[in-house]
Amino acid sequence: MYYIPARSGASNAFTRHMTLIERYLFRQILGPILAAVAALAAVALLSQGLRGLDLIVERGQSAWILIKVTALALPQLMTMILPIGVFVGALLSLNRLHTEQEIVVCFAGGMSRWRVISPAVRIAVFAALIALAVNIWVQPLASRTMREQLYAARTDLAATLVKEGEFVQASKGLTVYTQSIDQNGLLKNLFISVAGPDGQTVYTAQEGRITKNEGKPVLLMRYGSSQEFAKNGVLNFLSFDEYAFDLSPYMKNDIYLRYKTSDRWLHELFFPNLQDQWEQRDQLKLLAEGHARLSAPLYNITFMALALAAVVGGGFSRVGYGRRIAGAAGIAAVTRIVGFGILAACEDSAWLNILQYLVPAVTAWFAFRALFRQRVNRYVPVASDQGALMPSAS
């Protein structure tokens, strides 16, 4: 038996036919992966939103601030979400394609194993590149913005000093009450009591607004009066059309904006400012986070390799591939847990950072090895003695 050299026209038609099949497999695999990633992202956003409810309950922030902070936390969660979505979506799609014998038909049509799995591998590479871009640029930008938003919420005087219909007692003898707060932040029917060393002063005003004057926070009150009861028993009364009450003595000065490890840019992780005491102390932690940013995208390729090995790496079965899928899921879980353990260990020893790359790479190598070790029966065009084309297994 021998191969018949194909004509150029027939070869081009065969190439177009294979490209069409690969595009079909690409779409069939991509759809479930996108659905799995979207479902996991929705669960993560819901969980993050529930954790951030204290912004509304305790800090008096609006629902828009909660939604913004929750959305900004999503890029940091993509490191976990994307590989799991790739794994789950690939298992669902590949299992369906193999059970319905579509992959078997591809092999029978003469496609090599690599041609069959190449659409899935392309998706995994695309996911890894997206995860790498998110880890390098999107995550630090989003995390910094979220940190600044949380800092503004914690130091928001309007939220910490003023609550609608409640007497709020702040530090240094300050008590504030307002009957209502409209959507523009205008305070109605204000009452302020200040206890000082010289006596107690009470302010009342029809309206007020928290603003800044020469960079200092002030409560600008309008159409009100002040009553001061001095120690000598004298009551001083003063009416005013506008009065600026300085709030800077009552601000919390012990809250500072400090970016955490997840908020740093990649160059800040690998080249920290050693003059800063905190960065000098946590230099190994910053280095471990930097290598984790670069190595985490490899898990997308590793998990796709495990999914391919579980479904395509074995023989065809009409009853399903539950045992192989369960084994691949267990290996994926153990691999990711080991990765987290190595990340924690790298905070004490810098040389262990190489293992952050080796764990997903070695797991992927074994998965691809198991995938290509299984021989498949595919048919290639050969000629018989009479010159007719005959199928031959390879």
Side-chain angles (χ1 to χ4, degrees):
M1 292 186 293
Y2 55 91
Y3 291 101
I4 295 180
R7 298 178 181 176
S8 59
S11 177
N12 292 335
F14 181 78
T15 302
R16 289 197 297 269
H17 181 62
M18 290 296 101
T19 303
L20 182 62
I21 293 178
E22 291 178 2
R23 290 179 179 177
Y24 170 78
L25 294 175
F26 186 91
R27 292 193 300 268
Q28 294 299 311
I29 299 173
L30 181 62
I33 289 178
L34 293 178
V37 172
L40 292 172
V43 173
L45 287 175
L46 179 61
S47 175
Q48 191 70 23
L50 293 176
R51 292 175 55 187
L53 283 178
D54 63 316
L55 289 174
I56 295 179
V57 177
E58 299 179 5
R59 299 293 175 178
Q61 300 297 314
S62 63
W64 167 246
I65 298 297
L66 175 62
I67 295 174
K68 184 178 179 180
V69 170
T70 302
L72 289 172
L74 184 60
Q76 186 175 355
L77 300 174
M78 288 300 294
T79 302
M80 282 289 299
I81 292 174
L82 197 56
I84 297 176
V86 168
F87 183 70
V88 173
L91 281 177
L92 293 175
S93 57
L94 291 171
N95 183 57
R96 183 189 64 80
L97 289 171
H98 212 13
T99 303
E100 296 178 359
Q101 302 187 21
E102 295 188 51
I103 293 181
V104 176
V105 171
C106 292
F107 287 140
M111 292 181 66
S112 65
R113 187 180 294 274
W114 173 250
R115 293 288 297 276
V116 172
I117 70 171
S118 60
V121 175
R122 290 192 190 101
I123 294 175
V125 173
F126 291 156
L129 293 176
I130 292 173
L132 183 62
V134 169
N135 289 349
I136 294 178
W137 294 293
V138 181
Q139 176 190 329
L141 178 60
S143 297
R144 283 171 175 260
T145 307
M146 181 184 67
R147 198 72 57 200
E148 294 167 358
Q149 192 69 58
L150 292 174
Y151 175 80
R154 292 190 180 98
T155 57
D156 188 0
L157 288 172
T160 56
L161 289 181
V162 181
K163 292 185 179 180
E164 188 175 87
E166 295 183 17
F167 286 90
V168 179
Q169 293 183 350
S171 60
K172 302 180 181 180
L174 176 66
T175 302
V176 181
Y177 172 86
T178 182
Q179 185 179 17
S180 63
I181 306 174
D182 67 8
Q183 60 182 1
N184 296 320
L186 185 64
L187 313 176
K188 299 293 186 65
N189 296 328
L190 273 168
F191 172 86
I192 299 177
S193 175
V194 182
D198 298 331
Q200 186 172 11
T201 305
V202 176
Y203 299 90
T204 58
Q206 294 183 13
E207 63 182 39
R209 185 185 299 275
I210 295 179
T211 181
K212 286 190 176 182
N213 184 16
E214 296 181 356
K216 295 182 179 181
V218 296
L219 176 57
L220 187 62
M221 296 182 288
R222 292 173 180 165
Y223 315 117
S225 62
S226 66
Q227 302 89 34
E228 181 181 1
F229 190 75
K231 288 184 178 181
N232 56 9
V234 178
L235 177 64
N236 298 321
F237 179 84
L238 175 68
S239 61
F240 56 82
D241 291 333
E242 186 174 276
Y243 180 78
F245 181 76
D246 188 11
L247 294 174
S248 57
Y250 308 99
M251 290 186 63
K252 293 183 179 180
N253 297 322
D254 57 342
I255 301 178
Y256 300 94
L257 177 60
R258 177 176 290 277
Y259 293 115
K260 295 185 178 180
T261 305
S262 58
D263 309 335
R264 305 299 179 98
W265 297 102
L266 194 63
H267 69 275
E268 295 175 335
L269 296 174
F270 285 110
F271 307 101
N273 181 15
L274 298 181
Q275 296 180 354
D276 186 278
Q277 184 178 2
W278 182 86
E279 294 191 15
Q280 184 179 10
R281 185 182 69 249
D282 292 343
Q283 184 178 2
L284 291 179
K285 183 178 181 180
L286 295 172
L287 184 63
E289 174 67 19
H291 286 288
R293 297 265 189 94
L294 298 178
S295 61
L298 294 176
Y299 285 96
N300 294 279
I301 301 175
T302 301
F303 283 15
M304 178 62 80
L306 290 172
L308 290 169
V311 179
V312 187
F316 174 75
S317 176
R318 295 182 180 275
V319 297
Y321 311 93
R323 182 176 299 179
R324 300 206 307 249
I325 290 176
I331 295 174
V334 171
T335 302
R336 200 64 188 95
I337 293 173
V338 171
F340 285 127
I342 292 175
L343 174 59
C346 289
E347 297 178 4
D348 299 323
S349 182
W351 70 270
L352 291 175
N353 284 300
I354 189 64
L355 297 180
Q356 294 199 61
Y357 302 90
L358 289 179
V359 168
V362 170
T363 305
W365 182 82
F366 277 106
F368 279 118
R369 181 185 178 187
L371 175 64
F372 284 95
R373 185 173 54 188
Q374 177 71 24
R375 296 181 61 86
V376 296
N377 292 326
R378 61 188 180 92
Y379 293 87
V380 294
V382 298
S384 65
D385 295 337
Q386 288 78 19
L389 293 178
M390 298 288 292
S392 175
S394 64

